[in-house]
Amino acid sequence: MRMKMDARCDRSPSNRNRFIVVAKCLRAASPSSAAGRPGPRSISRDHYTRGRRPVRDRLDGYGGKRVGFWLDAMTIHTVLTNTLKLRVPLVMGGMQWVGKPALAAAVSNAGALGMLTALTQPTPEALRAAIEETRSLIDPQIAKERSQYGAFGVNITLLPAIVPPDYEGYARAALEAGVRIFETAGSNPEPVIKVLKQSGAFVIHKCTAIRHGLKAAQLGADMLSIDGLECAGHPGEDDIGGLVLLALAAEKSPIPFIASGGMANGRSLAAALALGACGANMGTRFMATRESDIHDKIKAHLVQSSERDTVHIMRSLRNTARVYKNKVALEVIEKEKQRAQFADIRPLVSGQRGKKVYENGEVDAGIWTAGQTAGLIHDIPTCKELVARIERDAEQVMTQSAALITPSPRL
Ligand code: NAD
């Protein structure tokens, strides 16, 4: 059933046929309105749909009045959604101990791109089993829509590790299990990107510096994930915030990019698109969802947290990580002030210890990763609710932004 309704009245996620008030943006975009005259009724509708399915609209005239038109399953289309057949330009970031099958599948089933984290699995064989489990949880319709590259991806992060992982083994296991979308991150990705590209995979390389992104593009990465200082985990050592990094990427990146770090809601997604990105990557936000397999107490803790509750550790070792500001993190920082070496802090920062935080719900049990977006997390929705809300809010913000452009009289 198609109903005319005001987006402000019905904000339910299922309300896909939305009545959008767009008077100002129609006027602003109209060629004649630029000259200060009311626009013609015969304005090209393609202008507003830009490659979307045809809008079955009913223009009520828009010469300065509120107007609306029917939008049938309106979505934001970008090179990210078009290439990977996503319904929403949103990617779940790799998250150690969090990027597991149930969450990755839920994010993909919600229309975004779910991501398994390879190193969360103890061996490449275990990763293969996790891939099969994820696949079994994917909605058949989503699997059909994404038949070219698959419904979800695998993150491979290349950073110093206490027990150096068999990165290529993980990459090959994922490829053999049929995965064709990868998020790589960290240093020296050349060997892994090479293996992935030889198998025709789509590689999104996450980086915290433009120079690293340019290198990854040379190596054959298909897309960059530009990770600002606000991010959870490893932000690099340059301390450049997302606003500047993304604007620089828009100037310099030879390949499309998504925005990572500081992304948590529809406003973030709209801002990412305004900065030239073709989508947004979110990590911490997906931790606080119903399908995330971390302890409920940690999810509740994230909801109560503010943007000031994270801290950088391991800066003195040039392996900076943004983590939750708990007792262990503060102890690590104290030791770093006393010029501690990695061996001195290893028992504190060990991932095996941090894993217990998520399993037992004890906030101070070890180091756990969180981004500044903790301050933007206010609830624990399902992935479906969250993704629908982000999409709807992003559309609303973009519509409002477009409406700021109003005709000016010619002097
Ligand atoms: P781990 O137990 O091997 O190491 C714990 C922390 O110490 C990590 O931050 C690691 O980078 C750092 N570290 C290890 N050896 C080091 C050394 N010699 N010098 C300086 N720092 C050192 O880590 P884990 O929890 O088992 O995770 C495995 C790897 O995957 C780590 O490198 C981790 O950072 C990485 N990872 C990061 C993300 C993310 O940033 N979002 C996601 C997935 C994986």
Side-chain angles (χ1 to χ4, degrees):
M1 187 176 71
R2 302 184 55 191
M3 291 172 58
K4 179 176 177 179
M5 55 179 71
D6 192 312
R8 291 169 303 181
C9 302
D10 184 344
R11 296 172 60 81
S12 68
S14 59
N15 174 23
R16 305 273 309 166
N17 295 328
R18 276 160 279 172
F19 177 76
I20 312 276
V21 176
V22 289
K24 285 189 175 174
C25 45
L26 283 172
R27 290 177 63 200
S30 148
S32 62
S33 69
R37 298 188 299 273
R41 281 171 185 270
S42 58
I43 189 165
S44 159
R45 285 153 194 180
D46 286 350
H47 187 85
Y48 308 109
T49 58
R50 278 190 289 206
R52 295 176 185 133
R53 272 176 277 173
V55 175
R56 278 172 256 155
D57 56 355
R58 184 168 65 79
L59 290 173
D60 293 330
Y62 60 94
K65 294 179 192 159
R66 271 169 55 118
V67 296
F69 54 89
W70 288 111
L71 300 174
D72 188 10
M74 181 174 177
T75 52
I76 301 167
H77 281 211
T78 70
V79 65
L80 173 71
T81 58
N82 290 342
T83 308
L84 302 183
K85 308 298 175 209
L86 310 184
R87 294 178 183 174
V88 186
L90 206 53
V91 175
M92 165 189 165
M95 289 178 279
Q96 183 67 321
W97 315 128
V98 180
K100 295 184 185 176
L103 182 57
V107 172
S108 284
N109 288 340
L113 181 67
M115 194 73 69
L116 279 179
T117 298
L119 301 185
T120 293
Q121 303 303 324
T123 60
E125 290 66 39
L127 174 61
R128 203 187 298 259
I131 289 166
E132 290 311 327
E133 185 184 342
T134 311
R135 193 167 281 137
S136 74
L137 297 172
I138 294 291
D139 178 331
Q141 179 58 31
I142 292 283
K144 198 171 155 195
E145 287 172 16
R146 302 189 192 173
S147 56
Q148 187 181 359
Y149 287 107
F152 58 93
V154 166
N155 158 277
I156 300 180
T157 299
L158 308 127
L159 285 168
I162 293 173
V163 181
D166 173 11
Y167 296 116
E168 283 190 38
Y170 279 102
R172 288 190 196 286
L175 287 168
E176 282 162 22
V179 172
R180 286 296 175 273
I181 303 173
F182 289 84
E183 179 193 62
T184 55
S187 347
N188 192 21
E190 185 165 3
V192 167
I193 292 182
K194 202 170 164 191
V195 169
L196 299 176
K197 289 309 298 175
Q198 276 166 358
S199 299
F202 188 91
V203 177
I204 304 171
H205 184 69
K206 187 186 279 179
C207 52
T208 57
I210 298 298
R211 62 188 184 284
H212 298 156
L214 297 178
K215 182 80 205 296
Q218 265 179 13
L219 295 175
D222 300 278
M223 191 170 278
L224 301 177
S225 181
I226 299 291
D227 209 12
L229 179 66
E230 307 90 329
C231 71
H234 296 272
E237 309 305 323
D238 291 350
D239 290 356
I240 311 292
L243 275 176
V244 170
L245 269 188
L246 290 164
L248 276 173
E251 284 179 16
K252 298 188 172 173
S253 178
I255 54 176
F257 60 94
I258 59 174
S260 183
M263 299 280 126
N265 56 29
R267 200 171 282 285
S268 314
L269 175 56
L273 298 173
L275 282 159
C278 60
N281 177 92
M282 296 185 188
T284 309
R285 177 57 271 198
F286 283 117
M287 287 170 74
T289 56
R290 298 260 286 279
E291 295 90 345
S292 153
D293 185 29
I294 64 174
H295 200 285
D296 284 347
K297 281 189 187 164
I298 302 302
K299 295 182 196 177
H301 208 78
L302 276 173
V303 172
Q304 288 163 14
S305 296
S306 85
E307 69 282 8
R308 301 176 70 235
D309 284 325
T310 70
V311 71
H312 279 157
I313 61 168
M314 296 193 288
R315 164 83 358 133
S316 63
L317 302 171
R318 294 193 61 78
N319 188 28
T320 304
R322 183 182 296 285
V323 301
Y324 196 81
K325 187 163 46 172
N326 64 5
K327 284 182 185 161
V328 189
L330 295 176
E331 200 180 333
V332 171
I333 291 168
E334 264 320 300
K335 285 191 182 290
E336 285 188 80
K337 282 183 192 159
Q338 294 155 23
R339 298 173 185 272
Q341 298 302 301
F342 183 70
D344 305 317
I345 59 165
R346 184 167 44 206
L348 294 172
V349 301
S350 153
Q352 289 300 326
R353 179 170 168 175
K355 190 179 169 190
K356 294 197 171 67
V357 171
Y358 301 132
E359 287 171 355
N360 305 335
E362 292 169 37
V363 172
D364 289 319
I367 292 293
W368 57 285
T369 304
Q372 290 182 332
T373 53
L376 292 170
I377 295 173
H378 311 303
D379 60 357
I380 305 168
T382 64
C383 289
K384 197 170 179 185
E385 288 163 353
L386 177 64
V387 170
R389 184 204 300 166
I390 290 170
E391 180 190 24
R392 190 184 60 233
D393 290 352
E395 287 173 3
Q396 194 176 10
V397 169
M398 291 162 75
T399 305
Q400 286 166 349
S401 299
L404 293 173
I405 306 169
T406 53
S408 312
R410 288 255 168 96
L411 292 176

